[in-house]
Amino acid sequence: MLVVSFLVRLICRINLILGNIFSWFSLGIVLTCFTVVVLRYFFSTGYVWMQDLYVWLNGMMFMGIAGFTLMQNGHVRVDIFYRPANARRKAIIDMIGCIVFVTPFLYIVTTYGLPYVQRSWRFMEGSSNFGGMPGLYIVKSFILVFVGVVALQAIAMVMRSVLILSGREDLVPEHYRYKEGG
């Protein structure tokens, strides 16, 4: 059980670090968008690559922080049964949810996304806009980053459930334990 606890901590640490790194993309998005607006409305000029940049940063940020968001319970959840449940029931719901919903979803995203990303890399795809940025294949690769970070966090959720259901909640990291009423 100590190995399971270590892996839960490791995965949560990885997604915490990635969440902190990719959240900084929001500053880049705001600054770039602000610059595009100022250039357009005050100087009557613009750069397509800058418009590509803030859209691409937005996509990469949201794909990169998906595991962190799952760790923080930030995804949409119908919680009329979940919120008032005790830790054991929450562990069962999370385990079933990861196995029945998250795993098939990630399988489908990988099955359809991998050829899409591979094709983009083969052609070294760039923006379809004239004057746009090169390197769209890197942005499309974030589909696989999304799958990776969400899969890792789903594994951590299942392992947390195993710890709780085996009576070893003490081995679950403090910040990752179930809260009363939430």
Side-chain angles (χ1 to χ4, degrees):
M1 287 297 165
L2 290 175
V3 172
V4 173
S5 176
F6 171 77
L7 290 173
V8 169
R9 291 174 194 278
L10 178 64
I11 291 169
C12 289
R13 174 57 79 194
I14 289 168
N15 272 322
L16 180 66
I17 290 168
L18 291 175
N20 286 327
I21 290 169
F22 288 121
S23 67
W24 280 98
F25 281 29
S26 61
L27 178 61
I29 294 164
V30 169
L31 292 175
T32 306
C33 189
F34 176 78
T35 303
V36 166
V37 170
V38 168
L39 288 173
R40 180 180 299 145
Y41 293 106
F42 290 103
F43 299 104
S44 297
T45 189
Y47 300 99
V48 175
W49 67 267
M50 288 182 83
Q51 293 174 356
D52 282 348
L53 180 61
Y54 75 79
V55 172
W56 293 9
L57 282 173
N58 188 53
M60 291 188 303
M61 179 185 69
F62 279 101
M63 297 296 240
I65 65 171
F68 172 78
T69 305
L70 184 58
M71 180 179 73
Q72 299 292 327
N73 286 317
H75 288 282
V76 174
R77 172 180 286 172
V78 179
D79 63 355
I80 57 174
F81 302 112
Y82 189 86
R83 187 176 302 237
N86 62 26
R88 289 185 61 79
R89 180 167 285 160
K90 287 180 182 180
I92 291 169
I93 292 170
D94 282 347
M95 186 179 289
I96 292 171
C98 287
I99 293 167
V100 173
F101 297 111
V102 176
T103 302
F105 171 72
L106 294 178
Y107 173 77
I108 290 168
V109 172
T110 303
T111 300
Y112 288 98
L114 185 58
Y116 180 73
V117 173
Q118 288 172 330
R119 180 184 177 280
S120 187
W121 273 88
R122 248 190 334 272
F123 294 118
M124 302 300 277
E125 187 177 10
S127 174
S128 61
N129 299 319
F130 182 76
M133 289 180 53
L136 182 59
Y137 56 94
I138 295 169
V139 177
K140 288 185 176 183
S141 298
F142 271 75
I143 294 169
L144 302 178
V145 170
F146 169 82
V147 169
V149 297
V150 171
L152 277 174
Q153 198 57 47
I155 291 167
M157 289 174 73
V158 169
M159 289 190 295
R160 173 182 65 180
S161 295
V162 167
L163 288 171
I164 289 170
L165 294 173
S166 64
R168 296 305 313 260
E169 189 172 355
D170 59 306
L171 294 178
V172 177
E174 184 69 36
H175 68 279
Y176 200 48
R177 292 183 184 170
Y178 293 112
K179 311 293 186 271
E180 290 295 319

